[in-house]
Amino acid sequence: MRQLWVVLLCSCALTSKQAPVEFRYFAPPRAASTADSRRPPPETKLRLGRVTSSANLRTQIVYRESPIEVREYDRLRWTENPEVYLRRSLVQALFENALFAQGFSRSIPTLDVELVGFEEVRTPGTHGGRAVLHY
């Protein structure tokens, strides 16, 4: 009889009709390429090396409401890690917009980048994003 009583008390939590937590995933929009097709190809070659992110950056989306306060959304996540977005943006800005010719040789200059800040900015009057890089 005692076991039945324990099962009945525990089943109350199992049968409650509470909505499950739903995570929503987001990706930053891709910017349109501004490369001029009439521009001659660049002479300077550059190799994009390691693109990493700091340990404090995860899949959670971070937002800033003041210059000194940063918070994380409870249910919002990035679809990919922030360094993937950074690599894609760097390739577009440096090579697709024809600022540099992309090279793969070890003898040319290599750009290594670490992403140390990646957040949404929600201060009054502005709304956008902020990325802080070390190279």
Side-chain angles (χ1 to χ4, degrees), residues 50-108:
R50 291 175 39 120
V51 178
T52 58
S53 65
S54 295
N56 65 331
L57 299 176
R58 302 280 188 265
T59 57
Q60 284 187 305
I61 300 175
V62 177
Y63 66 94
R64 177 179 297 276
E65 289 185 339
S66 74
I68 59 172
E69 184 178 11
V70 175
R71 293 185 181 178
E72 295 177 343
Y73 287 109
D74 292 331
R75 299 184 198 169
L76 304 182
R77 304 283 188 269
W78 292 114
T79 53
E80 297 174 315
N81 289 334
E83 63 265 15
V84 175
Y85 296 123
L86 176 61
R87 176 173 284 280
R88 193 177 303 132
S89 296
L90 287 172
V91 166
Q92 181 180 2
L94 298 173
F95 307 123
E96 291 177 13
N97 291 340
L99 296 176
F100 295 94
Q102 187 170 14
F104 299 99
S105 171
R106 291 180 186 248
S107 63
I108 61 174

